[in-house]
Amino acid sequence: MSDALIELRELSKTFDGPSAVTALRTTSLRIDRGAYVTITGPSGSGKSTFLNLLGLLDRPTTGEYVLDGTETSTLTEDERAHLRARSIGFIFQSFHLLADRTVLENVLLATLYSGVPRGERIERAMAAIEKVGLGHRVAFRPPTLSGGERQRVAVARAIMTSPKLILADEPTGNLDEKTSDQVMDLFEELNSEGIGFVIITHDAHVADRARRVLRIVDGTVHG
Ligand code: ADP
Ligand code: MG
């Protein structure tokens, strides 16, 4: 199998409308399996557009995107959703947890439609929760947790499906520096076990911890 986890060829994204916006310009890029990449750039430069394309949440206007050996531009919506669920974990700035569900229930939701029997899903969820250091919080609800704990629940949810890739959009944007460092330590631990990371961040301290830093300016990816 190829060493490339992600291969982009001439990828671009234009949003139609009264005045069309080219949010991402032709990008050719390769990201290896198990890579650890951060993406920085000014507000409005195309970072989230780029991450949404990588996450198969949006389709490019032109170009090819090969993820884990699969050329994605010709896939149906169902096939894209299936590949996404199987290969990618997502982490967001605002955690995206359900407030009225426990930590365990939030993590279990990641595999709701996976076809895996419930008993096995619970075992896997407990292992993921232990892994992020929240074994003592399984029955808590997100509003009673600290910001760092909430983000660790999101990490547990993201690793439930054993993804090849975790995409994070400003994962430390709502955390103080110490907590942010703890979340980055966790990312690096998971990365050392083989999960590839692509992380969008405004925070130079976070960006500098990566082996590879890309910069987006006005829709053009540099580096
Ligand atoms: P960033 O995440 O770097 O702040 P975005 O990727 O969100 O930037 O946006 C890049 C550009 O694309 C901006 O000019 C934004 O207004 C535009 N854009 C993003 N999403 C849409 C959309 N769904 N429709 C139209 N324009 C969009
Ligand atoms: Mg953004």
Side-chain angles (χ1 to χ4, degrees):
M1 200 183 284
S2 149
D3 284 344
L5 175 60
I6 288 172
E7 279 185 286
L8 307 178
R9 297 189 197 100
E10 306 279 305
L11 204 74
S12 77
K13 178 70 184 179
T14 300
F15 292 106
D16 291 331
S19 53
V21 177
T22 299
L24 191 77
R25 291 169 204 286
T26 51
T27 298
S28 294
L29 188 73
R30 177 197 154 104
I31 295 177
D32 287 338
R33 290 174 192 285
Y36 193 96
V37 179
T38 53
I39 300 177
T40 65
S43 181
S45 58
K47 299 184 299 298
S48 292
T49 299
F50 188 51
L51 212 76
N52 290 342
L53 292 173
L54 294 183
L56 300 172
L57 297 168
D58 205 357
R59 283 180 183 273
T61 308
T62 68
E64 288 179 12
Y65 171 20
V66 181
L67 171 64
D68 194 21
T70 301
E71 163 50 46
T72 63
S73 54
T74 52
L75 298 181
T76 64
E77 278 310 311
D78 275 1
E79 289 167 334
R80 286 162 60 83
H82 191 71
L83 181 61
R84 186 193 311 128
R86 190 155 45 87
S87 315
I88 307 174
F90 292 91
I91 311 251
F92 301 98
Q93 175 170 359
S94 51
F95 320 125
H96 290 200
L97 301 173
L98 298 179
D100 58 350
R101 302 292 183 92
T102 64
V103 166
L104 177 61
E105 288 166 339
N106 267 280
V107 174
L108 277 174
L109 282 173
T111 51
L112 191 56
Y113 303 109
S114 62
V116 177
R118 184 167 167 88
E120 194 183 324
R121 285 173 55 220
I122 291 175
E123 261 175 47
R124 239 193 253 178
M126 292 301 291
I129 292 166
E130 292 286 346
K131 175 101 195 166
V132 302
L134 290 179
H136 57 309
R137 294 281 186 265
V138 276
F140 283 56
R141 286 168 216 278
T144 66
L145 300 177
S146 71
E149 287 174 330
R150 287 184 215 187
Q151 198 56 302
R152 283 190 279 148
V153 176
V155 173
R157 183 183 55 192
I159 60 176
M160 269 292 275
T161 54
S162 307
K164 304 241 170 69
L165 172 66
I166 287 185
L167 298 175
D169 198 343
E170 297 285 359
T172 62
N174 283 332
L175 306 179
D176 61 35
E177 193 175 323
K178 179 163 164 275
T179 311
S180 157
D181 272 334
Q182 290 166 353
V183 167
M184 299 308 293
D185 288 344
L186 180 58
F187 284 2
E188 283 165 26
E189 182 187 334
L190 294 169
N191 177 246
S192 73
E193 294 166 10
I195 302 178
F197 277 79
V198 177
I199 302 166
I200 289 181
T201 183
H202 269 100
D203 184 341
H205 182 67
V206 170
D208 290 344
R209 286 179 66 156
R211 291 194 296 276
R212 184 175 179 195
V213 181
L214 303 176
R215 190 165 165 77
I216 304 189
V217 179
D218 196 20
T220 302
V221 181
H222 301 271

